[in-house]
Amino acid sequence: MSALFRAVLVVLVLFGSAAHAADRLTLGVFAFRPKPIMIERYQPLADYLSEKLGGTPVELAVLEQAELDEAVAAHRVDLVMTNPSHYLELRSHNSLSGALATLVSSEGGQAVSSLGGCIIVRAGRGDITGLRDLRGRRVAISGPRFLGGYQAQAFELMQVGVRVPDQLDLVVVGRHDAVVEAVLEGRADAGFIRTGIIESLVAEGRLDASQLVVLNPQALAGYPFAVSTRLYPEWPFVALPHVDRPTVRRVSAALLGLEASHPAARAAGIAGFSPPLDYLPVETMARTLRLPPFDHAPPFSWRDVWSRYADFIVALGVVSALVVGLLVVLSRRNRQLAHSVAALVEAQRALQHIAWHDALTGLPNRTLLADRLRQDMRRVRRNDEFLALAYIDLDGFKAINDTHGHEVGDRLLVEIARRMRAALRDVDTVARLGGDEFAAIFTDLAAASASEPLIERLLGAIAAPVVIDGLGLQVSGSIGVSYFPQQGDLEAEQLLRQADHAMYAAKLSGRNRCCVFVGEGDEGDERGGAADARPRPSTAA
Amino acid sequence: MAVGIHPWPGYEPLLLARAFGWLPDGVRLREGQTAGDSVAALQAGELDAATLTLDEALAVRASGIALTIVLVFDSSVGADMVMARPSIRALADIAGRRVAVERGAVGEVVLQKLLEAAGLDEAAVTVLDIAPDRQLDAWRAGEIDVAIGYEPFSSLLGREGARRLFDSRQFPGLIFDVLAVRRDRLAAHRAQVEALLAGHFRALAHLRVNREDGLRRIAAWRGLSFDEAERSYAGLNLPDVAGNRSYLDTSGARGILRAARDLNALMLRAGRIKVADDLVGLIDPGFLPHNGGVP
């Protein structure tokens, strides 16, 4: 083709307006081979269509993919022939009509309306014998938008687990012819080209077929080309929507009527056109590879999620509800348990109180007294201090009890207990040992004598008159005191016995007084144990 | 799970699925030459399932192996055929001729229908037990005049000058090709059966939308031309998932159950079975894909 022709062509493509009245049609053809070759091949087809359309000239415009995109978008072309994946892409942008026809190519008398991809390596490359061997290899391609020159191969590699393009070192070299050169010259380990290229180059005398090996050859009966992939429908012939219907009908009829023997068909190296094939396989492939126009994930709605994962979501919901339910039950049980524990602790405390206190007066009982006494003894010894233990027996209580009854006796005990408690310091302990017997511990004393005012207060508290139900009642106390520490080791029980002895001495010496245990004798000598029965003046008023 | 299979256009999607890696890992296709191979292997306990015609499945059930049909590959509308020497122009001309048929297989149904249509009884012809895969040799050796068979073997006879005399278009809705699974092994292989069916429907879709690719592959492994492969499907209806649901309708008003009732009568008459099949547990549509078979 002359340079002039091409210049005219470009002018037509750039400035030609859309053929509204079908006074002229522009046929855009994707240049999958060098433009001069393409023009040589397809000009006769354009001329054939011009002739069949009866006076409506059909101009040929051979365009690179980007040029074709632009021309379609601007309606500068009316008819388009391109590869199927490009067709899908164009269609998604321009709502092209469906294909009018599918190209039927021809090779050695065999008519085929499917194309595929070839994966070629230089002959003698023993290190690349299968698809998986391509991992990490330098692979020449004509461009990622070529169906037979990239996408078909990529899909096949994905099927065997080779991730494309991640796991290939792709190098874009332009058209298919350049891919073959790159492989032959060793600039690439392998190349992707569409079916029929090898056979064309061989026919043109530009390639010796023995120089190349086709990987992953497919066993396809009667398919005249070497092929490495599954087949896809050949190029569609498409009319843009702005072309009027009568013209579309006449173009279709002309295409389907083109015989393989017609010069236009022979020049293009095709056997004509068939009724349009289903382009769904191309779409499936493009979706799988996320190629244009499917390179954007569709917006994901909740409805989609539901329709796809309904079972899972329902199961998840049920499980979640179950977990929440169990958590509620668990927390309720926990709260109940906490209540139970609190009640238990309370009950234990109450039991402990009962175990350690006198039920009538609320004073510590003998057990708690013994415990406190042991603790106090340890402390005063450590602190180099003293404590005094007072054993208290009420004088005249039995008579009151007998005369006025137990109830009055009890109430008297309660009142005297309260007064004794009030008469003592916080650190001191007063306990009821049973009946009308009490004991008091005066602790943390700097000297034994420091207990004396306290004992006086105690005697006073006991001897003060008490009015119960209008009865004026009065008792007194006989108190025996023993001090700690003494010479030698001394147990709490011994100390208590000593105080008990001293108390008897106080009783014997006239009641309402205090006696201090002073004997050094051992326990076996209690009776002989002397008590300093120092008489105390009655504190009774 | 071992599945017996033999050459038949309706079964090719399974081989296509295997070629594309669409079959589950645990499924092995065991290729025999004829249905007889699959039947023998079923009876020997070597197979869990087999691709059979409906009448063959009924015959196996009668022999004591309970089979359940989970898939219909195709219904024959012309693909089962009677090829004859060109001198035989009318059905009645077969009287006194040597007729090759595979005994115990679907050819018997065609033979019964052929005799019925010709108004002859079996004694009027010489029946030779020759399976379709051996009919070409017998034909070339001049040992037979009439061959009851199916594609792709019938096409091979056609190349030798045989003429189609009669085919299953004359009695539609009787010959079905199905996947029959041993009922006692069905539960254990449930997931595999489902995956196998999914693979089949995926391959069937490939054959529909990418016809040239699928047919060229099939033609390649059968040694046929593309055109012959294409023609071999002319006499078959290949139901998709929805079509299968219709054929495997358990109400019995149509499809497999109705055909099975007709075959019961025909096979009893021909002496292929002694007792009519009760048809209990014969079909189970529960393994068909739920999503319409779209991968």
Side-chain angles (χ1 to χ4, degrees):
Chain A
M1 286 296 117
S2 70
L4 178 64
F5 178 85
R6 262 177 282 160
V8 169
L9 191 74
V10 167
V11 167
L12 279 175
V13 166
L14 294 181
F15 302 107
S17 61
H20 295 294
D23 53 346
R24 186 180 64 220
L25 292 172
T26 303
L27 168 60
V29 178
F30 166 45
F32 79 103
R33 298 286 309 273
K35 279 188 181 177
I37 295 181
M38 292 300 291
I39 291 168
E40 196 178 320
R41 286 187 167 191
Y42 285 92
Q43 186 58 50
L45 179 66
D47 296 342
Y48 166 78
L49 288 174
S50 299
E51 177 199 326
K52 288 291 179 183
L53 294 182
T56 306
V58 175
E59 312 279 3
L60 177 70
V62 173
L63 301 168
E64 301 290 349
Q65 198 153 354
E67 295 171 336
L68 192 53
D69 287 346
E70 248 182 84
V72 168
H75 288 201
R76 288 200 301 265
V77 291
D78 310 293
L79 306 171
V80 171
M81 276 183 72
T82 187
N83 77 53
S85 50
H86 186 218
Y87 160 57
L88 290 183
E89 208 179 324
L90 285 176
R91 194 176 61 177
S92 78
H93 289 115
N94 302 287
S95 5
L96 294 188
S97 61
L100 301 185
T102 294
L103 186 146
V104 180
S105 58
S106 165
E107 177 66 27
Q110 280 279 346
V112 287
S113 45
S114 295
L115 65 90
C118 254
I119 302 173
I120 52 169
V121 295
R122 200 151 53 131
R125 283 293 295 254
D127 56 333
I128 306 177
T129 57
L131 294 182
R132 290 183 182 84
D133 298 335
L134 291 174
R135 264 200 198 98
R137 302 293 187 158
R138 173 168 280 252
V139 177
I141 62 169
S142 43
R145 294 165 80 182
F146 287 70
L147 171 61
Y150 170 69
Q151 298 169 357
Q153 291 90 338
F155 184 74
E156 224 61 42
L157 285 166
M158 299 279 269
Q159 303 305 307
V160 299
V162 180
R163 290 196 311 279
V164 182
D166 304 354
Q167 293 186 325
L168 297 183
D169 177 13
L170 291 177
V171 49
V172 178
V173 298
R175 278 176 302 273
H176 296 289
D177 306 45
V179 173
V180 176
E181 279 170 28
V183 171
L184 288 179
E185 291 168 10
R187 283 183 281 117
D189 297 308
F192 293 170
I193 51 174
R194 64 158 281 171
T195 46
I197 297 291
I198 294 175
E199 291 77 5
S200 291
L201 290 174
V202 169
E204 291 161 17
R206 296 166 54 201
L207 176 71
D208 172 5
S210 66
Q211 291 175 286
L212 293 175
V213 170
V214 174
L215 288 192
N216 197 41
Q218 302 289 296
L220 298 170
Y223 194 69
F225 306 122
V227 57
S228 307
T229 70
R230 61 203 70 184
L231 301 179
Y232 297 91
E234 261 285 5
W235 285 22
F237 193 109
V238 187
L240 267 70
H242 63 254
V243 181
D244 62 88
R245 285 174 168 278
T247 306
V248 168
R249 210 171 59 240
R250 280 186 295 157
V251 170
S252 303
L255 292 172
L256 296 178
L258 179 64
E259 296 292 338
S261 55
H262 193 280
R266 294 162 74 105
I270 65 175
F273 291 86
S274 75
L277 294 183
D278 194 337
Y279 285 88
L280 186 62
V282 184
E283 199 172 316
T284 305
M285 181 272 303
R287 280 184 197 281
T288 305
L289 295 178
R290 297 220 155 211
L291 293 170
F294 308 111
D295 48 347
H296 301 291
F300 219 50
S301 72
W302 287 112
R303 189 187 295 267
D304 298 332
V305 175
W306 176 254
S307 69
R308 181 142 186 197
Y309 298 111
D311 292 352
F312 181 71
I313 291 169
V314 167
L316 196 68
V318 169
V319 169
S320 302
L322 209 64
V323 168
V324 167
L326 287 172
L327 281 176
V328 166
V329 170
L330 191 67
S331 91
R332 194 170 293 166
R333 284 281 155 85
N334 250 340
R335 215 174 306 141
Q336 287 173 352
L337 197 64
H339 280 300
S340 303
V341 167
L344 207 60
V345 166
E346 190 52 45
Q348 195 184 9
R349 199 172 291 153
L351 278 173
Q352 215 164 42
H353 194 267
I354 289 167
W356 287 346
H357 292 80
D358 171 49
L360 179 65
T361 61
L363 292 179
N365 61 13
R366 183 184 284 269
T367 310
L368 184 52
L369 177 85
D371 189 56
R372 295 253 177 102
L373 184 56
R374 277 191 287 274
Q375 285 181 28
D376 290 343
M377 285 164 75
R378 274 200 296 277
R379 194 171 65 250
V380 298
R381 189 197 297 275
R382 198 164 55 238
N383 296 348
D384 217 5
E385 290 174 329
F386 293 88
L387 72 74
L389 176 64
Y391 202 111
I392 303 152
D393 188 273
L394 300 186
D395 307 322
F397 176 76
K398 189 171 181 301
I400 289 172
N401 216 24
D402 293 346
T403 309
H404 303 291
H406 288 296
E407 198 193 331
V408 171
D410 286 354
R411 285 169 67 183
L412 180 62
L413 288 175
V414 169
E415 178 56 22
I416 289 173
R418 194 190 61 75
R419 288 182 184 178
M420 285 197 288
R421 178 63 260 169
L424 301 186
R425 303 168 304 164
D426 284 347
V427 293
D428 301 335
T429 299
V430 59
R432 185 183 178 210
L433 302 177
D436 56 356
E437 292 185 333
F438 296 83
I441 308 167
F442 306 104
T443 187
D444 301 355
L445 303 172
S449 60
S451 65
E452 287 172 10
L454 297 169
I455 291 167
E456 288 294 336
R457 267 159 58 186
L458 199 58
L459 283 168
I462 295 166
V466 177
V467 178
I468 295 171
D469 287 349
L471 294 167
L473 303 172
Q474 189 170 21
V475 293
S476 62
S478 295
I479 299 178
V481 175
S482 63
Y483 290 105
F484 182 84
Q486 301 171 13
Q487 286 190 333
D489 281 340
L490 193 68
E491 293 293 322
E493 288 301 313
Q494 286 172 281
L495 199 64
L496 195 61
R497 261 195 298 274
Q498 290 177 355
D500 191 9
H501 279 287
M503 185 275 287
Y504 271 104
K507 278 265 188 219
L508 291 173
S509 51
R511 303 183 172 189
N512 192 26
R513 68 196 62 222
C514 172
C515 284
V516 176
F517 183 83
V518 294
E520 311 243 33
D522 63 16
E523 285 182 67
D525 192 21
E526 283 171 324
R527 290 178 198 281
D532 171 20
R534 275 180 294 174
R536 295 278 170 187
S538 169
T539 56
Chain B
M1 179 181 174
V3 181
I5 186 170
H6 60 275
W8 169 250
Y11 305 151
E12 302 287 7
L14 277 188
L15 298 177
L16 205 53
R18 184 178 65 179
F20 281 126
W22 296 339
L23 292 186
D25 289 338
V27 171
R28 193 168 53 88
L29 298 183
R30 233 185 71 165
E31 292 181 75
Q33 267 309 298
T34 64
D37 296 340
S38 292
V39 170
L42 271 176
Q43 279 162 346
E46 295 162 9
L47 296 177
D48 302 296
T51 61
L52 295 171
T53 53
L54 177 56
D55 59 291
E56 287 157 0
L58 291 175
V60 172
R61 278 165 64 94
S63 76
I65 297 172
L67 296 179
T68 293
I69 292 164
V70 296
L71 171 72
V72 177
F73 288 104
D74 61 82
S75 111
S76 173
V77 280
D80 290 277
M81 60 189 89
V82 180
M83 303 295 284
R85 299 272 174 197
S87 59
I88 299 174
R89 295 180 178 283
L91 292 181
D93 296 347
I94 65 169
R97 301 295 193 118
R98 298 161 300 174
V99 179
V101 67
E102 182 182 11
R103 281 295 192 191
V106 65
E108 295 233 41
V109 175
V110 182
L111 175 63
Q112 294 303 316
K113 286 293 177 184
L114 172 67
L115 292 170
E116 203 176 280
L120 300 169
D121 58 28
E122 208 174 307
V125 296
T126 305
V127 176
L128 301 171
D129 183 9
I130 302 174
D133 62 322
R134 293 184 293 114
Q135 288 171 357
L136 183 60
D137 291 339
W139 182 275
R140 285 173 174 162
E143 294 163 8
I144 56 176
D145 307 304
V146 177
I148 297 178
Y150 45 78
E151 294 291 13
F153 305 112
S154 297
S155 281
L156 300 179
L157 290 177
R159 287 186 190 173
E160 301 289 318
R163 210 174 60 80
R164 185 192 293 221
L165 183 67
F166 185 76
D167 65 38
S168 49
R169 274 176 300 180
Q170 319 305 318
F171 52 96
L174 196 61
I175 296 183
F176 287 98
D177 285 280
V178 299
L179 180 67
V181 185
R182 284 181 62 136
R183 213 193 309 169
D184 56 343
R185 300 186 188 172
L186 197 51
H189 294 304
R190 170 162 285 275
Q192 282 167 332
V193 172
E194 283 177 355
L196 179 69
L197 266 52
H200 163 77
F201 286 113
R202 193 172 171 192
L204 193 59
H206 181 84
L207 198 55
R208 186 180 69 242
V209 301
N210 208 341
R211 194 172 176 78
E212 183 171 335
D213 182 90
L215 286 177
R216 285 197 192 278
R217 288 174 195 279
I218 291 164
W221 64 60
R222 288 289 167 238
L224 300 173
S225 73
F226 174 72
D227 291 340
E228 285 169 333
E230 188 161 40
R231 271 202 302 278
S232 73
Y233 284 92
L236 289 183
N237 284 334
L238 303 165
D240 62 5
V241 176
N244 259 273
R245 284 194 199 293
S246 165
Y247 280 139
L248 293 178
D249 177 26
T250 47
S251 73
R254 54 200 170 147
I256 295 295
L257 280 182
R258 206 193 65 183
R261 277 198 291 275
D262 294 346
L263 286 169
N264 250 339
L266 187 144
M267 291 166 75
L268 273 172
R269 254 200 326 276
R272 265 179 88 190
I273 55 174
K274 302 273 184 292
V275 184
D277 194 311
D278 59 7
L279 309 184
V280 172
L282 179 66
I283 57 178
D284 186 348
F287 295 88
L288 295 172
H290 302 294
N291 63 354
V294 178

